Amino acid sequence: MPQHVSDIMTSAPVTVEPQTSVTAVARIMRDQDLGAVLVTDGDELRGLVTDRDLVVRSLADGGDPEQITVAGACSDDLVTVTPEDDLDRAIALMREHAVRRLPVVDHGHPVGIVALGDLAMERDPESALGDISVARPNT
């Protein structure tokens, strides 16, 4: 019996509005130990932004990170899954689109995120990626 995305996804994802400053998003990521947050307009998913996106798409271009909004840093060409999708579908989509995280949506509303590390822990917890995924970062 295939497992579903809902079995391993991170529920209740952290969301920010597109007008949120890059600095504010970076602080949220730091304080909550996150590598990605969802960008929403009201209850509608608009994008996903990672810590790498903040650096490459915002900070590297210069400007004041207090004034730059996350709208310009987020990926808006999203590939998503539903909680009912099986894990094989999530893996296939990650492979096909070369992404490490998939927003989980239910009737267009974000309800979670499933990450490559989540899948590694589920499918092969003894793998290097599985070990790295559960390790706490050194701060």
Side-chain angles (χ1 to χ4, degrees):
M1 176 199 280
Q3 287 185 290
H4 296 99
V5 168
S6 61
D7 296 330
I8 67 165
M9 71 181 194
T10 300
S11 300
V14 173
T15 63
V16 296
E17 294 284 324
Q19 305 83 8
T20 308
S21 76
V22 168
T23 301
V25 174
R27 285 184 183 128
I28 290 168
M29 289 178 170
R30 178 198 63 200
D31 295 346
Q32 297 188 35
D33 191 25
L34 300 171
V37 298
L38 298 179
V39 179
T40 57
D41 191 358
D43 197 27
E44 188 173 335
L45 181 63
R46 294 291 185 196
L48 178 140
V49 66
T50 67
D51 46 5
R52 184 177 191 282
D53 292 334
L54 294 181
V55 172
V56 172
R57 295 182 180 167
S58 293
L59 298 177
D61 287 338
D64 182 355
E66 291 285 351
Q67 301 300 315
I68 300 169
T69 66
V70 74
C74 71
S75 300
D76 54 8
D77 185 21
L78 296 177
V79 179
T80 63
V81 291
T82 70
E84 296 80 27
D85 283 332
D86 64 56
L87 295 183
D88 289 334
R89 174 167 164 68
I91 292 167
L93 287 171
M94 285 181 171
R95 186 174 283 135
E96 177 183 344
H97 296 278
V99 295
R100 294 178 177 94
R101 297 172 181 92
L102 296 171
V104 182
V105 296
D106 188 16
H107 298 95
H109 304 293
V111 296
I113 296 178
V114 64
L116 183 61
D118 299 329
L119 292 164
M121 282 304 304
E122 180 59 34
R123 294 289 170 99
D124 191 4
E126 301 301 317
S127 69
L129 182 55
D131 288 344
I132 291 166
S133 296
V134 297
R136 301 298 299 167
N138 296 331
T139 55

